[in-house]
Structures are given as structure tokens and as C-alpha cells.
Amino acid sequence: QVQLVESGGGLVQPGGSLRLSCAASGRIFEIYAMGWYRQTPGKQRELVATITSEGSTNYAGSVKGRFTISRDNAKNTVYLQMNSLKSEDTAVYYCNANVQVTATPTVQGFWGQGTQVSVSL
């Protein structure tokens, strides 16, 4: 019904920057909140940042001041600009979107496949 495709992950040195993108496609009537989460082996998936359709943002304390979430509603795309990266930011990053699927009254949550971000010398 709805697909989320992430891109932009990779290997970067500490202090470096990466920009993640996540494009939503499919039977989309409207997209509400979108966000980025991350997960490391053996740990639960944790919130990184979220953004409403109006542009209100929320960040985890560990990334506040370093990461910036934004979205382009016309392109159904959410971005995560990550600066001053640290080794502890290494994780698989997942995109999430709350979508009202066309011709349905309900809002469903969808996830992307994940993109690896590795911060290392």
C-alpha cells in the first residue's frame, strides 16, 4: 500500500556529517507525522526525531543541536541532517510515517527498510 525508501547512509568519521532521505510512495491520501528511529544490535529501537505535517519537531536529547529533521510535503519526503557525528550514533536508521491510505478512514504506521550509519575512524 505504502512504501518508504531510505537513502543516504554510509561510513563517516567522527565529527562528520550525513544526510538521510526517506521518500514515501503508494496509495497515500495524507501523511501526518514522520520520523526517524535507530536501532543497534541487542537494543530496542529508539526515537531520534519526529516532525508533524505542520513542521513541529521533537528530538531525542542525545541528538538535539546536532541533528535536524525536515520534510518536503510536496515530495512526501523526510530528511535527517546529521552533523558532528559520534561513534555512538552508529546504528541502523529507520524512517517512519503515519499515513492515511487512500479510500480508508484510518491512519497506519509504515516503516522503511533501514539504512546503516557507521561512525568510525
Side-chain angles (χ1 to χ4, degrees), residues 40-57:
T40 55
K43 292 189 176 181
Q44 287 191 328
R45 193 170 296 185
E46 64 176 8
L47 179 148
V48 176
T50 61
I51 184 168
T52 68
S53 55
E54 295 82 15
S56 295
T57 58

Side-chain angles (χ1 to χ4, degrees), residues 15-36:
S17 298
L18 282 175
R19 188 190 194 213
L20 306 182
S21 300
C22 172
S25 62
R27 298 179 59 218
I28 297 169
F29 179 76
E30 187 167 355
I31 302 178
Y32 295 92
M34 303 182 80
W36 290 94

Side-chain angles (χ1 to χ4, degrees), residues 7 18-23 34-36 49 51 59 67-73 75-82 95:
S7 61
L18 282 175
R19 188 190 194 213
L20 306 182
S21 300
C22 172
M34 303 182 80
W36 290 94
I51 184 168
Y59 295 92
F67 291 10
T68 302
I69 189 170
S70 61
R71 64 190 283 173
D72 185 334
N73 291 332
K75 295 182 179 179
N76 291 336
T77 300
V78 63
Y79 306 95
L80 185 68
Q81 178 66 44
M82 304 185 293
C95 171

Side-chain angles (χ1 to χ4, degrees), residues 13-18 65-67 82-87 89 119:
Q13 293 185 350
S17 298
L18 282 175
R66 301 187 296 121
F67 291 10
M82 304 185 293
N83 298 328
S84 302
L85 282 160
K86 304 175 181 180
S87 58
D89 295 317
V119 184

Side-chain angles (χ1 to χ4, degrees), residues 1-2 25-31 99-108 110:
Q1 288 182 327
V2 175
S25 62
R27 298 179 59 218
I28 297 169
F29 179 76
E30 187 167 355
I31 302 178
V99 180
Q100 184 177 354
V101 176
T102 302
T104 69
T106 58
V107 177
Q108 302 175 52
F110 294 90

